[in-house]
Amino acid sequence: MRAVTSSRAVRLRAAVRRAPRALYEELWAAPADRVPRMGEPGAPVWRPVFLVALVFAAIAATVIRTVELTPHGNEVSGLAVLVAVAQAAALVAGMSRPLGAWWAATGLTAVAMLVIVSGAPSELPYPLISLVPLSPRVLYPTPFAGAALQGGALFLLALRVRPRRAVAALVLSMALALFLALRTPSLPHVGLAASVLVFATAIVLGTALRSLRLARKDLVVQAELTTEERARRALLEERNRIARELHDVVAHHMSVISIQAQVAPHLVEHPTDELRENLTGIRQNALEALAELRRVLGVLRSEDAPAQSTRHAPQPGLDRLGELVATVRSAGLAVTVSTTGEPRPSRPASSCPRTASCRRP
């Protein structure tokens, strides 16, 4: 029992030590999903409209947030305006940098609390109610706009990151809200239930829209693959048709030539050796032509790219020069071959680069 407890304690300590590193990788180091910009292929058509709507919403939130950071009856301070503008700017920045925008919004939430604490007046501006005890909960309105800005940052983050990372951001946001509510009980706060509802709704909605976007992207990829497969099959069918026509037109005649050359010596009563040799050469050439034709048909019928040796097999190279000379000599012609230098293997002409070593002299 003690060994089991000790093992659990070791695992717990290891998890605690890994937590900062995991938090850094999940909410800072790892990039968010890339969304194509306007003008790029696959760019969302709704993005410009959503950006304009977000800017107008940020302007309205700035005005409301400034009022929330200003005590009743006091003049609007420049610091309150600056914090409100910064929070709204963080929301708009979430369109391109959701991780950095969420961190900025989270940090500005704590800064806003400091502004409220430092800006609370020491006396009420109304003499007739000066006997009322001072309380920031009475002087400041409930910061609904602040919660909305934080929820908007979470929503834009959930649109671009995995659900696990979005949940981690939700937990940190709720932890900060709970910490501020416990540390500053005299300040007005959005209720814990309302904060959970706003933040969780933002995460769920953003995650659902991200899943929908990825599903549509997968459908587009599958459609492109289907189109490519259809084009590849059409090409293969055309190549098969060409192969069949070549076989019907050429292979049949070459086979007839080969059979006739084989039967011809038996039709002559006393064929000479020269005639037999010529007919044998004709039959051999016909058989070689059939073999080369079969190679071509195999290339045409193949779905994949042929190998280098198969691709150039129908084109005889210099290594078969002896066979060519023997064939011509068998036809009764005198052929003389002279070789200068040491023979070496040569590549097919189509694979030879355009260099001086491959050019003809």
Side-chain angles (χ1 to χ4, degrees):
M1 186 66 181
R2 292 181 179 179
V4 174
T5 305
S6 177
S7 177
R8 291 179 179 177
V10 170
R11 288 198 298 268
L12 180 60
R13 286 195 297 268
V16 171
R17 286 196 299 267
R18 290 194 303 267
R21 180 66 180 180
L23 182 63
Y24 169 77
E25 293 178 354
E26 292 289 337
L27 295 179
W28 185 260
D33 298 342
R34 185 184 181 278
V35 177
R37 298 181 179 179
M38 291 183 293
E40 295 182 358
V45 295
W46 51 265
R47 189 176 178 85
V49 179
F50 183 77
L51 179 59
V52 172
L54 188 64
V55 170
F56 280 107
I59 294 174
T62 301
V63 177
I64 300 174
R65 188 60 175 152
T66 303
V67 174
E68 292 177 353
L69 296 177
T70 303
H72 291 297
N74 285 30
E75 295 181 356
V76 177
S77 64
L79 184 60
V81 174
L82 180 62
V83 173
V85 170
Q87 286 185 298
L91 178 65
V92 177
M95 285 289 293
S96 58
R97 298 290 186 272
L99 282 171
W102 172 76
W103 278 111
T106 303
L108 288 171
T109 300
V111 173
M113 282 298 167
L114 296 178
V115 171
I116 293 176
V117 172
S118 62
S122 58
E123 58 182 8
L124 290 174
Y126 308 106
L128 295 179
I129 55 175
S130 58
L131 297 179
V132 178
L134 292 176
S135 174
R137 190 180 297 274
V138 177
L139 297 176
Y140 291 93
T142 304
F144 292 108
L149 289 172
Q150 184 70 15
L154 286 171
F155 170 73
L156 295 177
L157 179 65
L159 281 176
R160 302 275 297 277
V161 299
R162 298 191 306 272
R164 184 180 65 182
R165 301 174 66 185
V167 171
L170 171 64
V171 171
L172 287 181
S173 297
M174 289 306 306
L176 177 63
L178 182 60
F179 174 78
L180 294 176
L182 294 177
R183 294 292 297 177
T184 57
S186 60
L187 297 180
H189 295 281
V190 178
L192 184 61
S195 298
V196 171
L197 179 62
V198 172
F199 294 168
T201 302
I203 291 295
V204 171
L205 183 59
T207 302
L209 292 177
R210 178 179 180 269
S211 301
L212 180 61
R213 175 174 59 84
L214 294 179
R216 289 180 176 178
K217 184 178 179 180
D218 292 340
L219 287 177
V220 171
V221 173
Q222 292 296 329
E224 292 178 355
L225 292 177
T226 303
T227 303
E228 293 178 359
E229 180 67 19
R230 190 181 298 113
R232 189 178 66 85
R233 290 188 176 275
L235 176 62
L236 182 60
E237 291 176 359
E238 181 66 17
R239 291 164 67 175
N240 286 332
R241 184 186 64 81
I242 296 174
R244 287 194 300 268
E245 291 182 357
L246 279 175
H247 183 271
D248 294 340
V249 175
V250 181
H252 172 71
H253 294 291
M254 298 305 297
S255 299
V256 171
I257 292 173
S258 175
I259 294 173
Q260 289 177 346
Q262 186 177 6
V263 174
H266 301 283
L267 301 179
V268 181
E269 185 175 354
H270 298 289
T272 61
D273 294 339
E274 184 179 0
L275 178 60
R276 290 180 179 274
E277 186 177 354
N278 289 334
L279 292 176
T280 302
I282 293 174
R283 182 174 181 274
Q284 185 65 28
N285 290 333
L287 293 177
E288 290 182 0
L290 282 174
E292 294 177 357
L293 181 61
R294 290 191 185 97
R295 294 194 192 101
V296 175
L297 298 182
V299 171
L300 290 176
R301 290 170 177 168
S302 176
E303 297 186 15
D304 302 326
Q308 189 74 13
S309 58
T310 306
R311 188 181 302 150
H312 301 291
Q315 302 178 1
L318 291 178
D319 55 342
R320 299 181 60 186
L321 181 60
E323 299 178 13
L324 178 61
V325 172
T327 303
V328 176
R329 284 175 179 171
S330 64
L333 298 177
V335 180
T336 303
V337 179
S338 61
T339 304
T340 302
E342 182 180 356
R344 58 181 179 178
S346 60
R347 291 177 293 180
S350 60
S351 65
C352 184
R354 296 182 178 180
T355 59
S357 61
C358 290
R359 296 173 185 169
R360 292 182 179 179

